[in-house]
Amino acid sequence: MSSTNMFSVYGRMTALPGRRDDLIALLHECARAGGDDCGLLNYSVNTAPEDPDTIWMTQLWVDQAAHDATTRSEPVAAATRRLLPLLVREPEGSYGHAVYVHDRRSE
Amino acid sequence: MSSTNMFSVYGRMTALPGRRDDLIALLHECARAGGDDCGLLNYSVNTAPEDPDTIWMTQLWVDQAAHDATTRSEPVAAATRRLLPLLVREPEGSYGHAVYVHDRRSE
């Protein structure tokens, strides 16, 4: 079984009615706030077809230390603080250690 | 707000005690069973630190049609059928339309 040191994040959030696009834009800002060299390898922001106000996102980090340091850094923490007022409830989600990561676009 | 036609999948599964590694190997096999040109752009399989038997996975597809056709194809369907006997309960998960997908490894 392969294994990597890469650290993965899944999050699911429901915006206040009509605020999903603001939430998406802010998540995109949060993802870039750490800078190009913060260790965030890839991320996606996705709408949920079954719920017009819900999005879910994934992040893949070079390791957990990079994730922890970046999310605590002021630019990212400041952007993240602006998320909660847009949400109906606390975000759900999970962390993970990436066992397989395969990207055909980089072949 | 950017948008793409890309289709994303998040799934979370709990293996029977001690069978997580078999589940991970089979998920890896499922992801390759569609072939290199099936439209599966990237995937990850991740362990869940809070539960030794749980994994979660993400997939990004060129579009929903590619996902639907591939998952119905016999090689993938046959591999997927072998998943359920390894699980404690039905998988959870969600589909999504990717609004933002950013991969720094392909820069």
Side-chain angles (χ1 to χ4, degrees), chain A:
Chain A
M1 188 186 77
S2 162
S3 189
T4 74
N5 219 10
M6 291 191 268
F7 184 71
S8 25
V9 179
Y10 164 77
R12 185 181 181 91
M13 303 170 207
T14 299
L16 294 167
R19 302 299 302 274
R20 187 190 70 178
D21 290 354
D22 297 329
L23 175 58
I24 288 171
L26 186 50
L27 279 170
H28 190 42
E29 186 184 325
C30 288
R32 287 172 306 160
D36 289 343
D37 303 320
C38 67
L40 177 59
L41 298 173
N42 72 43
Y43 64 89
S44 74
V45 180
N46 309 273
T47 55
E50 70 279 8
D51 178 349
D53 296 323
T54 293
I55 65 95
W56 56 274
M57 63 96 180
T58 63
Q59 296 177 347
L60 181 68
W61 294 80
V62 63
D63 56 33
Q64 183 167 353
H67 163 271
D68 296 351
T70 304
T71 47
R72 287 190 198 113
S73 70
E74 189 42 33
V76 177
T80 304
R81 281 193 295 269
R82 289 164 43 212
L83 277 176
L84 294 179
L86 288 177
L87 303 183
V88 168
R89 58 183 161 273
E90 286 283 314
E92 300 161 26
S94 43
Y95 294 117
H97 289 287
V99 178
Y100 285 115
V101 173
H102 189 80
D103 193 325
R104 289 202 169 109
R105 290 172 307 168
S106 57
E107 280 169 4

Side-chain angles (χ1 to χ4, degrees), chain B residues 51-67:
Chain B
D51 179 349
D53 296 323
T54 293
I55 65 94
W56 56 275
M57 63 95 181
T58 63
Q59 296 176 348
L60 180 69
W61 294 81
V62 62
D63 56 32
Q64 182 168 353
H67 163 270

